[in-house]
Amino acid sequence: SETFLAKALNDGYREQIYLATKLPCWLVETRADMDKFLNEQLERLDTGYIDFYLLHALNRKTWDKMLQLGALEFLNKAIEEGKIRFAGFSYHDEVELFKEIVDAYDWSFCQIMYNYFDEHFQAGREGLNYARMKGLGVVAMEPLRGGALVNGLPEEAKKALHSVSSERSVVGWALGWLWNQPQLSVVLSGMSTMEQLKQNLELADKYWENPWTSIDQEAVEEATRIIRDLQKVPCTNCGYCLPCPEGVNIPRNFALYNDHYMLSDPAAKARYKGLLGEAERASNCVQCGVCLEKCPQQIPIPDELEQVSALF
């Protein structure tokens, strides 16, 4: 994507935008690796500097490794040399570690998983408020929870939202909840089509014409309760657990599992047999546990795959 983006930033467009990319912490083994990856990124992006540079997907394991290898000195040096302008981090772990990381360095910003269903998950609202108190800009990622708050939203939850406003889409509800929070600096959205991009821009323009109300907030809280009562595995389909050494397609197994419960989907079992090859199915899990260290949501994946296999 960096090589592709470089082509889009030709002809003076680079100076009109803010550019962000991340250090892949899980690939870093030495202090020299940090410089190597950054220099390669600058070359691929065909630019002399990156505006916003993140230590990617920090958790207890990667944060301890970054500290040991000298990541904070690396960030200072990169800023002094003008290779990056602002240092930040993205995060997937518990709120106490989040606060520890916030306090460990003079960060400009951070990026957290945050949506109305995950208000108190990982860093959550407590982490959001703490980071803002410390002067950090806060970026919200996964506002639609990997699409689950749109495609996987139970009918009863939709009814709870539409009973307040039949004109606002489920995407509008999810983004509106975030836009109503002044603690947030930026709301990211994983748009995969031009139509989604246009829809989100239109929603952003229209949101300010109808400010969020306490009634809206109550509707979202009711929808959250309904979802929470139905969902079995809090997988966001981020894919960090892949590749599985045995070839199990972990996110798709969990998506079908959640479909069965959240959507009362009678076709989930048929899709399990039809969409997944034998090696990809939950029944092929050998309980090796390699995925456990990779999962940002800290899901007990082998145990849950056993449940998926038993269901399907």
Side-chain angles (χ1 to χ4, degrees):
S1 61
E2 290 171 344
T3 304
F4 181 85
L5 186 57
K7 297 178 182 179
L9 298 180
N10 283 335
D11 302 323
Y13 194 58
R14 170 67 182 93
E15 286 68 40
Q16 300 179 45
I17 58 97
Y18 293 112
L19 184 62
T21 195
K22 304 170 181 178
L23 178 71
C25 298
W26 58 90
L27 296 177
V28 174
E29 298 298 336
T30 67
R31 168 64 180 80
D33 282 345
M34 302 178 198
D35 293 308
K36 172 178 174 289
F37 286 129
L38 174 57
N39 290 333
E40 288 175 351
Q41 289 170 317
L42 290 169
E43 183 177 353
R44 283 195 297 268
L45 287 162
D46 192 22
T47 185
Y49 67 98
I50 293 165
D51 297 285
F52 298 99
Y53 198 68
L54 299 87
L55 301 187
H56 190 19
L58 290 183
N59 55 30
R60 172 51 70 187
K61 182 179 180 180
T62 53
W63 172 240
D64 288 346
K65 182 173 79 167
M66 289 298 98
L67 281 180
Q68 182 180 1
L69 294 178
L72 302 186
E73 185 273 332
F74 156 73
L75 292 174
N76 285 334
K77 182 171 179 286
I79 291 173
E80 291 172 4
E81 293 177 348
K83 292 183 177 180
I84 66 176
R85 294 181 62 202
F86 302 103
F89 65 94
S90 61
Y91 185 78
H92 289 287
D93 211 323
E94 299 302 318
V95 68
E96 291 308 317
L97 174 62
F98 177 79
K99 293 178 180 179
E100 176 185 325
I101 295 174
V102 167
D103 292 340
Y105 184 72
D106 186 21
W107 307 101
S108 294
F109 69 104
C110 62
Q111 183 172 308
I112 62 173
M113 178 181 175
Y114 196 61
N115 54 67
Y116 69 73
F117 184 73
D118 295 306
E119 182 179 2
H120 304 292
F121 183 58
Q122 294 188 0
R125 179 173 291 279
E126 182 178 348
L128 166 62
N129 290 334
Y130 188 81
R132 290 299 295 159
M133 181 182 69
K134 294 288 185 172
L136 277 68
V138 182
V139 179
M141 59 178 158
E142 302 207 41
L144 306 180
R145 207 172 197 269
L149 294 180
V150 180
N151 300 321
L153 199 63
E155 287 302 316
E156 288 301 313
K158 292 179 182 178
K159 289 179 182 177
L161 299 176
H162 291 159
S163 66
V164 173
S165 173
S166 59
E167 296 180 359
R168 185 183 288 156
S169 68
V170 289
V171 176
W173 276 101
L175 295 178
W177 183 84
L178 291 162
W179 290 332
N180 183 55
Q181 302 187 47
Q183 305 98 314
L184 288 172
S185 307
V186 175
V187 176
L188 299 181
S189 176
M191 298 165 284
S192 50
T193 69
M194 181 61 73
E195 187 57 36
Q196 290 173 355
L197 172 59
K198 292 178 179 178
Q199 179 189 33
N200 287 356
L201 289 171
E202 183 178 355
L203 287 169
D205 284 338
K206 289 185 175 180
Y207 169 77
W208 310 106
E209 299 173 5
N210 299 290
W212 200 260
T213 68
S214 59
I215 297 176
D216 294 330
Q217 182 62 31
E218 290 172 4
V220 167
E221 290 172 359
E222 174 64 12
T224 300
R225 184 193 64 76
I226 293 169
I227 302 168
R228 200 172 297 281
D229 286 346
L230 296 174
Q231 192 180 45
K232 292 294 184 180
V233 182
C235 175
T236 67
N237 196 33
C238 69
Y240 290 172
C241 57
L242 301 177
C244 163
E246 302 299 320
V248 177
N249 189 327
I250 298 168
R252 180 164 287 183
N253 275 276
F254 287 157
L256 294 170
Y257 188 58
N258 280 332
D259 283 351
H260 177 84
Y261 289 101
M262 291 176 63
L263 302 174
S264 300
D265 188 348
K269 185 173 183 177
R271 291 202 305 276
Y272 176 80
K273 299 290 187 181
L275 296 178
L276 295 172
E278 190 170 341
E280 294 180 299
R281 297 172 191 165
S283 54
N284 196 42
C285 174
V286 298
Q287 304 278 313
C288 69
V290 170
C291 53
L292 290 172
E293 294 184 356
K294 300 179 181 179
C295 180
Q297 318 307 334
Q298 300 178 316
I299 297 167
I301 293 174
D303 293 342
E304 293 291 358
L305 286 175
E306 193 171 14
Q307 297 298 318
V308 176
S309 180
L311 175 68
F312 290 141

